[in-house]
Amino acid sequence: MAITTDLVEAFLKCPTKCFLRSLGETGVGNTYADWVCAQSTAYQREGSTRLKGGANGECVTGPLDRKKLKSATWRMATESKVCAQDLACTLHAVERVPSDNPGTPAQFIPTRFIFTNKLAPLDKLLLAFDAMVLSETLGREVVLGKIIHGEDFVTLKVKTSVLESEVRSITAKIATLISDKKPPDLVLNRHCPECEFRDRCRQKATETDDLSLLAGITEDERNRHRSKGIFTVTQLSYTFRPRRTPKRAKNPARPRYPALQALAIRENTVYVHGSPRLPDSKTQVYLDIEGLPDSESYYLLGALIVSEGQEAFHSFWASETSQEPGLFVQFAEAVANLPDFRVLHFGDYETVALRRMKARLPESAHPRIDAILERATNVLSVIHPHVYFPTYSNGLKDIGSFLGFERADVDATGLQSIVWRKTWNVNRAPDIKALLLRYNKDDCCTLRRIFEFTRGLIAPESTSPTGHQTPFKTTQTKELINDRPRWDMFRSKEYASEDLEKVAKCAYFDYQRERVFVRTHPHFKSVNKKHRKFRRPVNRANVVF
C-alpha cells in the first residue's frame, strides 16, 4: 500500500487514526473536523486560482508525467499527483523555475496551502514529504518549498532538505504500522477533540478502562505504569499511598497524583489533598472570554457579578476586530466601581487576553486593567494540586457536569464555538450569536458552581446562601493514613490465598540467592576483590627533586 500525504498527516496526529485510514474507514459525528476539511478545500481552491492568475496562462492541472518533467515548459502546476515507488502525494501546487545557466535543469518548488494564520510543525513536515516524493520522481534533490497560509496569503519559504531525514523515519514507521494487521495501542491524546474517530476511540478506551482516559497523565508516566503491569485506571487507583507531610514543607501538595485521581473515580469521591486556599471577598466577578486563538481575537466577554446574594450577568460583544478594545474598556468600567471585588476565571486564557489587549487600549484604561489583573484568581490553579474530582480531566465542563450543572447545549465545546463564530462572520445569523452568548453564560455559571463548591470544601461556614449544597462524598487524603504500631511490621504476613503466599516465599528465596549468597560465597569474594573499586590505591611519586 502506498504511503500518502493523508496517512502521514494522520500518523503525526495519532497512529490509531493512521491505521484506521489505511483500512479505508471514515469517522462521523465531529462538526469541527468537517469544518476544517471544508475550510482547507476552499482555501486550496482560492490559492490555486491566485497562482494561476500570476502564471500568465502557463499553468497545467492534473497528474504529472514523470518522463516529461525534465522537458516541461509550464511555469505552474496545480492539484498534481506524483508517485514514486511506495510513496504518493497530491501536490497543491508546483512552481517550475527555469535556470539562467544553459544546461542546468529547472528548479521545482512544491507549495502547500494552509488556511490558518499560525503554522504548526506538522505543516512543514507535510511540505517536506511532498518535496521528498517529488525529488524521488525527478531523480534529484528538491531543497526548497513554500507554504502559503493565513487570511493574507502570506508566503513562507522552507528548506525541506533539512527535514528529509525526519520524514524518512516517519514513513518507515508508517510502513511498519500499515503492514501489520494488528492495530496499534489505543492512546487518547490532545488531537481527539478534533478527530472524526473521537467517539469510537473514546468508547473503546472506556470499555477497557485505559490509562489514557486520564487527561493529565503523560506518555512517560503511562509507559512506566505499563511496565509494572498497570494498564487500567482501576489498577492505578490501588497504587496511591498517602505520605506524611514534612513539617518544613512550604507547599507539599504542589504536584498532582494520577493515582489519587484514579482513586477518586473508583470511589466516586472528591478528595482534598493539602490545604487549598481561595480568596474571600464581598463581590465575585466570574469572567469568561471567547476568542479565536488562531488570530488572537477576543470577540465576547461574559461577566457574572455576584454581590451580597444578588447576581447580574453582563455580555460584551464585538462584531468587528476594531471593536474589541472598546469591549474591554466597557468591562473595566463596569468592574472598577464594585466594592471589594475579586475576578475569578478558569485557566490562564483570560489573564493572557487581558495582558494582550492592554497594549491595544488607551493609556487611561491601563490602571483599571492592572487593578483587575491584581484581583484576578485562577480557580484551576487551586483545584489542580489540591482537589481531585471523580472526573477524567480537570476541564470546566467535566467538573461542572459532575456537580450537576445543566448546560443549554451539552455537546458544545470550545472548538464548536470557533465554528459558530466563523460561520457568524459570514452570514451574521442572530440564532448563531444567541448560541455563543448562551455558551459564554453557561461557562460563567459553571465556574460559579465550581468556585462555591470548592470554597465550601475549604471553609463550609463561608458558603453563600445561594450556594448549592452538594451531597457528594468528600474526604481528606490525610484520613487515608492508617497509623499502626511499629512492631506490626515484623509480624507474620497474612495472605488472601495460599498461592500468593507461595509467590512471596519464592520471591524471598530469590532475594536471598541473588543478594546474600553473592556476598558470602568464597568464589564471589575473590571476584569482588579484583574489581577496580575494591583495589587498594597505589600512590607513587611522580616528581623527583
Side-chain angles (χ1 to χ4, degrees):
M1 181 179 180
I3 299 176
T4 62
T5 309
D6 185 43
L7 292 180
V8 174
E9 180 181 6
F11 180 81
L12 293 173
K13 294 177 179 178
C14 176
T16 301
K17 183 175 183 178
C18 177
F19 182 80
L20 293 176
R21 284 192 174 180
S22 67
L23 299 178
E25 299 187 16
T26 56
V28 293
N30 193 318
T31 306
Y32 183 79
D34 298 338
W35 177 81
V36 169
C37 182
Q39 289 292 112
S40 300
T41 303
Y43 189 84
Q44 180 182 345
R45 188 182 303 113
E46 176 66 19
S48 300
T49 303
R50 287 170 175 254
L51 290 182
K52 290 178 181 178
N56 298 325
E58 300 179 9
C59 182
V60 296
T61 303
L64 298 179
D65 190 352
R66 181 176 184 178
K67 299 180 180 179
K68 298 181 180 180
L69 278 178
K70 297 181 180 181
S71 60
T73 58
W74 47 264
R75 298 293 301 273
M76 185 68 62
T78 59
E79 299 180 8
S80 304
K81 186 175 181 180
V82 181
C83 300
Q85 296 180 357
D86 56 346
L87 305 176
C89 69
T90 300
L91 304 174
H92 292 179
V94 182
E95 181 182 0
R96 179 181 170 274
V97 182
S99 176
D100 296 333
N101 300 325
T104 304
Q107 183 182 9
F108 291 86
I109 302 176
T111 304
R112 289 190 66 84
F113 299 101
I114 309 296
F115 75 94
T116 57
N117 292 317
K118 296 181 180 180
L119 295 178
L122 164 71
D123 301 322
K124 295 182 180 180
L125 289 174
L126 292 178
L127 177 64
F129 176 77
D130 292 344
M132 185 181 70
V133 178
L134 183 60
S135 65
E136 294 285 345
T137 304
L138 293 172
R140 62 176 183 269
E141 187 179 15
V142 177
V143 298
L144 184 65
K146 292 182 180 179
I147 294 180
I148 299 177
H149 68 100
E151 299 174 355
D152 299 330
F153 290 85
V154 179
T155 301
L156 175 67
K157 294 182 179 181
V158 180
K159 291 184 178 181
T160 56
S161 57
V162 179
L163 303 172
E164 183 179 357
S165 59
E166 185 177 356
V167 172
R168 290 191 181 278
S169 176
I170 293 172
T171 54
K173 294 178 181 178
I174 296 175
T176 304
L177 176 67
I178 62 180
S179 62
D180 191 0
K181 296 182 180 180
K182 183 181 178 181
D185 294 336
L186 177 63
V187 177
L188 303 183
N189 55 32
R190 292 187 175 183
H191 175 66
C192 291
E194 53 186 281
C195 178
E196 62 270 24
F197 300 105
R198 174 193 58 188
D199 297 337
R200 172 178 179 170
C201 295
R202 185 79 180 183
Q203 180 181 359
K204 186 176 180 181
T206 304
E207 292 174 355
T208 58
D209 196 23
D210 190 75
L211 281 177
S212 62
L213 287 169
L214 296 175
I217 193 170
T218 63
E219 183 179 359
D220 292 338
E221 290 176 330
R222 186 169 57 250
N223 293 334
R224 186 168 63 251
H225 289 308
R226 288 182 174 180
S227 66
K228 299 177 182 178
I230 301 173
F231 299 95
T232 65
V233 176
T234 304
Q235 291 173 343
L236 180 63
S237 66
Y238 288 97
T239 64
F240 178 72
R241 295 293 182 271
R243 299 291 185 264
R244 291 188 179 278
T245 303
K247 294 182 179 180
R248 298 183 180 180
K250 295 181 180 180
N251 195 352
R254 196 65 179 173
R256 186 167 182 87
Y257 303 97
L260 182 54
Q261 185 76 45
L263 179 62
I265 295 172
R266 192 193 77 192
E267 300 292 341
N268 195 27
T269 303
V270 180
Y271 282 95
V272 180
H273 185 61
S275 301
R277 297 179 181 179
L278 281 173
D280 201 2
S281 60
K282 295 181 180 179
T283 304
Q284 295 84 36
V285 180
Y286 300 96
L287 175 64
D288 184 74
I289 299 177
E290 307 296 339
L292 301 175
D294 183 53
S295 57
E296 296 183 359
S297 171
Y298 307 99
Y299 61 88
L300 176 58
L301 191 152
L304 176 62
I305 302 176
V306 180
S307 179
E308 298 180 355
Q310 302 295 325
E311 66 175 61
F313 183 76
H314 302 272
S315 290
F316 304 93
W317 174 274
S319 299
E320 305 293 340
T321 305
S322 59
Q323 299 177 0
E324 292 178 1
L327 179 151
F328 282 80
V329 171
Q330 296 174 19
F331 167 70
E333 293 176 351
V335 173
N337 298 325
L338 295 175
D340 187 23
F341 70 92
R342 175 65 62 174
V343 178
L344 304 167
H345 56 95
F346 199 85
D348 296 333
Y349 187 78
E350 281 71 22
T351 53
V352 171
L354 288 170
R355 292 190 180 96
R356 286 177 177 173
M357 291 302 300
K358 178 183 174 181
R360 299 169 55 184
L361 299 179
E363 292 289 340
S364 58
H366 288 188
R368 293 179 177 178
I369 297 297
D370 292 335
I372 292 174
L373 290 172
E374 290 177 1
R375 294 176 174 268
T377 299
N378 183 4
V379 179
L380 180 60
S381 65
V382 179
I383 292 177
H384 183 268
H386 296 289
V387 185
Y388 291 77
F389 290 94
T391 57
Y392 290 111
S393 73
N394 272 342
L396 178 73
K397 299 170 183 60
D398 290 342
I399 298 177
S401 176
F402 166 75
L403 295 179
F405 183 81
E406 297 181 1
R407 303 179 65 92
D409 190 345
V410 180
D411 298 329
T413 61
L415 296 177
Q416 180 65 58
S417 68
I418 295 176
V419 178
W420 284 340
R421 175 64 185 193
K422 290 289 187 178
T423 306
W424 184 87
N425 289 339
V426 176
N427 55 24
R428 303 290 174 123
D431 54 338
I432 296 180
K433 180 178 179 180
L435 289 174
L436 286 168
L437 294 174
R438 182 61 188 177
Y439 173 79
N440 179 251
K441 184 177 181 180
D442 284 346
D443 281 350
C444 294
C445 295
T446 305
L447 176 58
R448 180 188 179 186
R449 176 73 65 89
I450 295 173
F451 173 78
E452 292 180 350
F453 177 83
T454 306
R455 189 171 60 177
L457 294 177
I458 301 171
E461 67 278 359
S462 66
T463 306
S464 61
T466 58
H468 299 273
Q469 301 294 337
T470 54
F472 306 112
K473 182 180 177 182
T474 60
T475 304
Q476 292 279 344
T477 54
K478 60 184 179 181
E479 298 178 3
L480 300 177
I481 302 177
N482 297 323
D483 293 330
R484 63 175 182 175
R486 187 170 179 80
W487 61 266
D488 192 36
M489 67 178 65
F490 299 105
R491 70 179 180 86
S492 301
K493 300 296 185 297
E494 296 179 1
Y495 298 94
S497 65
E498 296 180 358
D499 295 336
L500 292 177
E501 183 177 4
K502 185 176 181 180
V503 170
K505 185 177 180 180
C506 294
Y508 181 78
F509 174 79
D510 290 341
Y511 180 86
Q512 294 288 325
R513 181 76 178 176
E514 296 175 3
R515 299 296 178 87
V516 180
F517 180 75
V518 168
R519 296 183 179 183
T520 58
H521 195 278
H523 174 70
F524 291 110
K525 278 187 176 182
S526 62
V527 173
N528 288 337
K529 289 181 180 180
K530 296 179 181 179
H531 197 275
R532 183 176 60 182
K533 70 178 183 178
F534 292 106
R535 293 178 183 175
R536 183 173 300 176
V538 179
N539 298 324
R540 299 177 180 176
N542 56 355
V543 177
V544 179
F545 295 96

